[in-house]
Structures are given as C-alpha cells and as structure tokens.
Amino acid sequence: MPVVFVAASKLPTPFAQFTMHGFLDEATGREHVVLSLGEIADGAPVLGRLHSECLTGDALFSQRCDCGSQLEGALKAIAREGRGVLLYLRQEGRGIGLLNKIRAYELQDGGADTVEANERLGFAADQRDYAMCLPMLEHLGVKSLRLMTNNPRKVKALTDMGIVVAERVPLHTGHNPHNKLYLATKASKLDHMMGNEHQGEVDRA
Ligand SMILES: Nc1nc2c(ncn2[C@@H]2O[C@H](COP(=O)(O)OP(=O)(O)OP(=O)(O)O)[C@@H](O)[C@H]2O)c(=O)[nH]1
Ligand SMILES: [Zn+2]
C-alpha cells in the first residue's frame, strides 16, 4: 500500500521557518512528517536526517538516550545551511512502540542493556524498516543526501532503495552520564560509529 502525501504547511521554529509535509503510510496507518528548508529538488546532495520517533527524548527531555539533542542538532545544522530535510519517522522504540519501550526501560532499570531488553521481550534488537522514506523523498524530488547519522543501517537502507548517500555526516551530541551505557551498547552491538570522525561533523547542540 502506498505512502500518500496529505498536506504541507509552514512550521516556524526557533531555528528556521521550515515547510512541514505530512504523509500517511496506508500499510501501517502511521503518520510521518518531513521538515524541509530551501531548494531541495535541484539534484545536488541535500543535508538530511532520518529521525526515528522518540517521545521520551524528543518531547520529554529524557537523558536516557541522545535523540532530543540529535533532533535539535540536525535542525540547527539544516538551518545554518539554509537547505535540507528531516524525515520524522513514526517508528518509536526502534519499531516496538512506546509502551514496549517503557517495558524495555523497566528491564534496563534491572540491569539489562538496550539490546538484551528488546530480546527478552521477544523483539529483534532493531525492528525498524525505512521503506516509507523512498516515496517521501520521491515526492520531494530528493535523490541524493548528505546523511546526518552514526547508524550504518540507515546508509545501507537508503542505498539499497536507490537513494545516493553522497556523504555520512557524524552526529555526536547529547552525551550525558545517564546514557553512557546506552551509547556504548549502540557502538558494540548495533554497529553505530561513535569514533573520532570529525570531518564535517555537526556541532554539539
Ligand atoms: N527499544 C528501544 N528503543 C529505544 C531505546 N532507546 C531509544 N530507543 C529508540 O531508538 C530510536 C533511535 O535510535 P538510535 O539507535 O538511538 O539511533 P539511530 O536513529 O539508529 O541512529 P542515529 O542516526 O545515529 O541517531 C528511537 O525510535 C527511540 O525511541 C531503548 O532502550 N530500547
Ligand atoms: Zn531516544
């Protein structure tokens, strides 16, 4: 089933006035949003981010993860360039949903790491699927991205669907004492690149 464009509006933020594009994924019923800035359909690589929903980090100031800070850092970077896209993907909890993420946090409070907690609940470590990105990027006329991420799975998913990832821009921000183990587990078990790559790195928010 298709992902359909529904409507677009202005979205003023402290960083820039973005255009907000709303999409409905008819297969899952999920409502996804893209924030865009500037001329993005001219064929030149676009600074971009696939941001997976994290209600706790993005809206409730949680320090268990680095999501809120990455969201802010990415929007600020796009605002600085005056051009870019952020796909806000409704795949909370790496695809297991908010309530299961809280169950996973409960297990983590008892000593499990982020991957073990998912597995104990009967889920894969990362259940995300990025297929919805292709119709959204096609709608926007974006064929090539400079992708802000530390996650090689996102680069592979885009490349496999025919989107060019012209550059990976590391996004290291939001480190705090509460998410030390979480970030270490992402590096050791989920292949995230948390090294000392500094070229083109997005400034800490
Ligand atoms: N299941 C589960 N999901 C989590 C946990 N902490 C954060 N998340 C979710 O993980 C997603 C963010 O993924 P991350 O692995 O932190 O980062 P990423 O988006 O893959 O990679 P970057 O592009 O580098 O940020 C969001 O959907 C969060 O809700 C956790 O402990 N358990
Ligand atoms: Zn988070």
Side-chain angles (χ1 to χ4, degrees):
M1 276 206 264
V3 175
V4 293
F5 168 73
V6 176
S9 74
K10 293 176 186 168
L11 191 75
T13 73
F15 321 120
Q17 177 162 288
F18 294 94
T19 303
M20 175 166 65
H21 313 256
F23 295 87
L24 175 63
D25 184 341
E26 293 186 332
T28 60
R30 290 181 181 166
E31 299 170 324
H32 304 289
V33 159
V34 178
L35 299 189
S36 74
L37 187 66
E39 176 49 71
I40 53 171
D42 59 7
V46 177
L47 184 63
R49 171 154 179 82
L50 311 184
H51 191 87
S52 302
E53 177 176 16
C54 177
L55 180 89
T56 46
D58 297 339
L60 300 178
F61 310 100
S62 170
Q63 296 202 316
R64 292 189 78 122
C65 59
D66 53 351
C67 303
S69 185
Q70 287 186 318
L71 178 61
E72 186 174 334
L75 290 177
K76 283 180 173 168
I78 291 169
R80 270 198 302 272
E81 285 220 356
R83 180 171 179 272
V85 280
L86 182 133
L87 281 65
Y88 193 87
L89 306 171
R90 310 296 299 285
Q91 40 182 204
E92 171 64 67
R94 298 197 189 110
I96 68 175
L98 178 61
L99 297 181
N100 285 322
K101 186 173 80 169
I102 298 173
R103 288 193 176 100
Y105 278 167
E106 191 173 78
L107 293 173
Q108 290 171 43
D109 288 344
D113 70 31
T114 173
V115 169
E116 291 161 352
N118 258 36
E119 288 170 351
R120 269 191 227 168
L121 292 169
F123 298 113
D126 189 341
Q127 304 226 143
R128 282 175 291 182
D129 163 21
Y130 299 96
M132 75 295 250
C133 297
L134 184 61
M136 294 198 281
L137 291 169
E138 280 177 349
H139 175 85
L140 297 163
V142 174
K143 296 186 172 66
S144 172
L145 288 169
R146 289 164 46 227
L147 190 69
M148 294 181 275
T149 186
N150 310 317
N151 184 348
R153 292 172 200 218
K154 290 184 180 173
V155 176
K156 183 173 184 317
L158 287 169
T159 307
D160 286 351
M161 63 181 75
I163 300 292
V164 176
V165 179
E167 185 190 349
R168 183 184 71 85
V169 181
L171 190 52
H172 296 159
T173 180
H175 296 204
N176 71 64
H178 304 284
N179 65 21
K180 240 184 151 105
L181 174 63
Y182 169 78
L183 295 174
T185 305
K186 286 212 291 190
S188 65
K189 293 194 174 178
L190 294 171
D191 307 322
H192 280 232
M193 293 170 277
M194 299 299 195
N196 294 315
E197 328 93 305
H198 287 300
Q199 207 188 355
E201 183 163 357
V202 169
D203 293 346
R204 281 159 205 276

